[in-house]
Amino acid sequence: FLGFFGVVVQILVAIIFILMSLYIHMINLPFQNPAMNSLELKSLFSLLATLWSALVTHYGSLSRVSEIGLFIFILISHLVFFFSWSLEMGREIMIYLKNDYPALHAKLAGCCKSRKKSYLQVSQRQGKPDTSFTRVNVVIGTPQSSKRSARSVNNSSWME
């Protein structure tokens, strides 16, 4: 893309596109989840830092210390984005598991049996309970939300 104009023009055009994307994103905030908007901003800033550093190193005769400083700057911007992305994806996966697979979520969350009992309600059948099959009502909700929904899961092996 624009290779016949040279590397500097390519970098400048890419920076202009990133700046326009950043501006449009900050005005519209297209994602409903604020964390996703934050991740998008971090990714755009990380890309902008990389392109700016490429432009600086291409034009300037930098000392070795300056080159190392730019490398550390790029590395930190990418690490911030990567760790933010990892944390947010971990949260999203746990929310998905909590909503769609509560038994698996309870296993992966590493809750002890007393904590499991605090958010799991085991309903027993009248008479002698059947140990091979237990109905579990899981209450799903977040601390910020007062809305809660109950979901039934049929599995007894993970509770033992």
Side-chain angles (χ1 to χ4, degrees), residues 109-127:
C111 299
C112 60
K113 287 187 178 186
S114 62
R115 282 188 66 192
K116 283 182 188 175
K117 288 180 184 177
S118 68
Y119 68 90
L120 296 177
Q121 302 166 348
V122 179
S123 63
Q124 297 181 357
R125 297 180 188 172
Q126 289 189 6

Side-chain angles (χ1 to χ4, degrees), residues 4-19:
F4 52 89
F5 287 114
V7 175
V8 175
V9 173
Q10 287 179 322
I11 293 172
L12 289 174
V13 169
I15 287 175
I16 290 170
F17 276 113
I18 298 300
L19 288 173

Side-chain angles (χ1 to χ4, degrees), residues 1-138:
F1 179 69
L2 297 175
F4 52 89
F5 287 114
V7 175
V8 175
V9 173
Q10 287 179 322
I11 293 172
L12 289 174
V13 169
I15 287 175
I16 290 170
F17 276 113
I18 298 300
L19 288 173
M20 288 186 330
S21 298
L22 189 63
Y23 176 75
I24 291 168
H25 181 79
M26 290 177 78
I27 287 176
N28 295 324
L29 296 173
F31 302 108
Q32 291 177 354
N33 185 346
M36 292 297 139
N37 284 317
S38 175
L39 280 177
E40 182 66 22
L41 287 175
K42 288 175 187 171
S43 72
L44 289 171
F45 278 122
S46 178
L47 183 58
L48 194 58
T50 303
L51 291 172
W52 175 79
S53 298
L55 190 62
V56 168
T57 55
H58 183 32
Y59 262 126
S61 56
L62 299 174
S63 68
R64 186 76 175 147
V65 174
S66 298
E67 287 178 357
I68 292 172
L70 273 176
F71 171 75
I72 291 171
F73 174 70
I74 293 170
L75 183 65
I76 289 172
S77 72
H78 286 268
L79 286 174
V80 165
F81 170 71
F82 176 74
F83 286 122
S84 299
W85 179 84
S86 298
L87 287 173
E88 191 56 39
M89 288 303 114
R91 281 189 200 119
E92 290 297 320
I93 288 169
M94 291 306 283
I95 289 169
Y96 172 75
L97 289 175
K98 186 177 183 180
N99 291 337
D100 292 349
Y101 302 99
L104 181 60
H105 176 264
K107 266 187 176 178
L108 293 176
C111 299
C112 60
K113 287 187 178 186
S114 62
R115 282 188 66 192
K116 283 182 188 175
K117 288 180 184 177
S118 68
Y119 68 90
L120 296 177
Q121 302 166 348
V122 179
S123 63
Q124 297 181 357
R125 297 180 188 172
Q126 289 189 6
K128 188 176 180 181
D130 185 3
T131 57
S132 65
F133 180 80
T134 306
R135 183 173 182 91
V136 179
N137 293 323
V138 180

